[in-house]
Amino acid sequence: MDEPRLHALMVRSLAGDAPAYREFLSTATGELRAFVRRRLFSGPDEAEDVVQEVLLAVHLKRHTYDPGLPVSAWLYAIARYKLVDHLRRGKRRGVSAPVEAAEGEADVNTVEDGAHRRDIERLLTRLPAKQRRAIELVKLQQLSVREAAAAASMSEADIKVSVHRGLKTLSRLVAEDDAP
Amino acid sequence: MKAKDMKTDDLIQSLSETAQPVRKGRATITFIAAALAALAVCVGIVLLSGQVRADFSEHMTAVLAKAAFSGLLVLATAPAMLWLVHPGRSAGLWIAIGVAVTAVAIVVGVLAVMAGRGELAAALGAGGRPVVFVLIPLLAMPAGWVFFTWGRRYAPTRLALSGAAAGALSGGIAAASYALVCPVDEAMFVATWYTASVVLCGLIGAALGRILLRW
């Protein structure tokens, strides 16, 4: 990391210099992206989410930077904190993923990759029929809960519960598959 | 992936557009303000409780000595707290903690040597008196709320350690306030039980810090 340059940019940023701040954030993003990707193995998309969280934290907490100290130490301390926080939250999400939250992510997590789809289909066969059907309709075919309920002749509540339980089971299966 | 990159660029753009000059170096001032607020709350509770010792004016020196000892505990912890809310200040942190622990250990040690074995044993036994062990942490709770609120405005990256510092600070301030109530004036009692109570507050703070200091 080019500490003197980044330090100069940060000092100017704190004085309210918008172009310097923009350059600081762009330069820092490259460093942060490499930092996060080296430590996060769940793919570049998730890494980019963490990078954005770190950038936001850098912005909101920039008053905690002491210009007498290296800016890289400050930046990496925040990055490390946000990365650990992200992993902790991920762990909690894995235990119980509310169906509403999962629905919001549906458009981001479209399964396009054939290999991924095969993996998921393989895992889905290990789920109880009702949970499998609910996940296929809501997550893979991206129907709304109401449409899925009509298609599967199940109640909406039943669909939600089945998706919820199915995702829980899936995350457990994935964890088991990933375990060495 | 390309789309994500673009989103990050958008984020950078919008963040840099909102760049305002940042007033810096205010952590110490706001910290002192928070500590004074915490002290005011604790003293206020003690006064409202009506438990201030009746012989207060006769034992003014002892009360002040106890408050001063508690003040030492606060002063010992304060630098670590200020260090902890600034990301990347790890080098000085352990020096600050080391100095704090050494300073308290020296004072307690000197008091113990001066007191001699008999008084030390009496203080540690304390005839079931260490009600301070409950009262100081209870009194520290509102002070803790002040320090946790203050801490979250900055950026503590070691939550348990920051929580421990906030807890110990609150304990020190609660102990200084409790000196107005405490009927026991033996130096050794104060050195052992007040310190132990502050350490307990630190442990509680460490547990709470993981949850309450997240940002």
Side-chain angles (χ1 to χ4, degrees):
Chain A
M1 181 179 275
D2 187 357
E3 171 68 35
R5 179 169 158 262
L6 217 54
H7 182 270
L9 285 173
M10 183 59 172
V11 170
R12 278 165 54 199
S13 309
L14 290 175
D17 182 338
Y21 191 38
R22 194 183 143 68
E23 202 182 334
F24 169 81
L25 290 174
S26 300
T27 314
T29 299
E31 303 280 348
L32 292 170
R33 201 172 274 143
F35 174 85
V36 173
R37 281 189 191 172
R38 271 200 304 276
R39 285 159 182 81
L40 202 67
F41 304 108
S42 40
D45 273 4
E46 196 177 331
E48 203 61 18
D49 283 342
V50 177
V51 169
Q52 292 179 6
E53 275 179 48
V54 176
L55 285 174
L56 203 57
V58 161
H59 178 72
L60 294 173
K61 300 292 182 180
R62 62 195 193 284
H63 61 284
T64 65
Y65 174 60
D66 175 353
L69 293 168
V71 70
S72 49
W74 178 78
L75 200 60
Y76 283 132
I78 291 181
R80 208 169 295 120
Y81 172 76
K82 279 292 166 187
L83 183 63
V84 170
D85 192 56
H86 175 84
L87 292 172
R88 279 207 191 112
R89 262 184 295 142
K91 216 182 264 176
R92 275 201 292 276
R93 267 203 306 273
V95 177
S96 85
V99 68
E100 282 80 4
E103 271 171 359
E105 288 164 10
D107 55 337
V108 181
N109 298 331
T110 19
V111 183
E112 290 160 334
D113 189 325
H116 279 176
R117 183 176 276 278
R118 271 196 305 281
D119 275 355
I120 287 177
E121 279 167 356
R122 184 175 54 80
L123 286 171
L124 279 175
T125 57
R126 292 162 69 183
L127 290 182
K130 208 161 124 182
Q131 292 175 14
R132 184 172 66 229
R133 184 88 184 110
I135 288 186
E136 277 170 355
L137 292 171
V138 176
K139 304 313 267 177
L140 299 182
Q141 297 180 23
Q142 305 205 353
L143 299 183
S144 71
V145 171
R146 180 174 296 179
E147 290 164 344
S153 318
M154 288 159 72
S155 74
E156 286 184 31
D158 221 4
I159 288 279
K160 282 192 179 192
V161 170
S162 299
V163 169
H164 181 74
R165 289 194 182 143
L167 287 178
K168 242 165 117 169
T169 318
L170 272 182
S171 69
R172 190 169 50 78
L173 291 175
V174 170
E176 280 170 10
D177 271 12
D178 286 351
Chain B
M1 189 54 235
K2 279 279 181 298
K4 279 266 176 179
D5 273 347
M6 215 126 80
K7 258 179 69 188
T8 305
D9 288 343
D10 292 345
L11 179 69
I12 292 172
Q13 182 61 36
S14 58
L15 292 182
S16 59
E17 276 166 10
T18 57
Q20 301 282 332
V22 176
R23 280 196 289 165
K24 47 194 184 296
R26 288 187 307 153
T28 311
I29 295 165
T30 55
F31 175 76
I32 292 169
L36 289 176
L39 182 65
V41 170
C42 287
V43 171
I45 291 173
V46 166
L47 293 179
L48 283 176
S49 74
Q51 300 295 314
V52 176
R53 60 193 289 186
D55 53 0
F56 177 77
S57 43
E58 296 153 48
H59 294 89
M60 186 71 105
T61 321
V63 172
L64 287 178
K66 281 189 277 187
F69 179 77
S70 311
L72 165 80
L73 298 177
V74 172
L75 285 180
T77 324
M81 183 83 229
L82 273 165
W83 244 273
L84 279 162
V85 298
H86 290 94
R89 266 199 194 171
S90 47
L93 172 68
W94 295 108
I95 299 170
I97 292 175
V99 169
V101 172
T102 313
V104 173
I106 287 173
V107 172
V108 174
V110 167
L111 285 172
V113 171
M114 277 163 52
R117 283 184 67 178
E119 202 184 318
L120 181 62
L124 291 176
R129 277 215 201 96
V131 59
V132 290
F133 209 53
V134 177
L135 289 182
I136 289 179
L138 276 179
L139 193 54
M141 281 164 62
W145 181 79
V146 173
F147 284 115
F148 276 108
T149 307
W150 174 84
R152 256 202 319 272
R153 285 187 51 201
Y154 294 87
T157 50
R158 298 155 185 258
L159 299 186
L161 211 51
S162 309
L169 276 170
S170 318
I173 283 178
S177 318
Y178 181 73
L180 297 171
V181 177
C182 184
V184 190
D185 292 334
E186 282 91 22
M188 215 43 238
F189 172 85
V190 175
T192 47
W193 288 107
Y194 276 39
T195 309
S197 306
V198 169
V199 170
L200 176 64
C201 291
L203 292 175
I204 297 170
L208 292 176
R210 288 172 173 276
I211 308 155
L212 298 180
L213 283 174
R214 280 187 61 209
W215 50 276

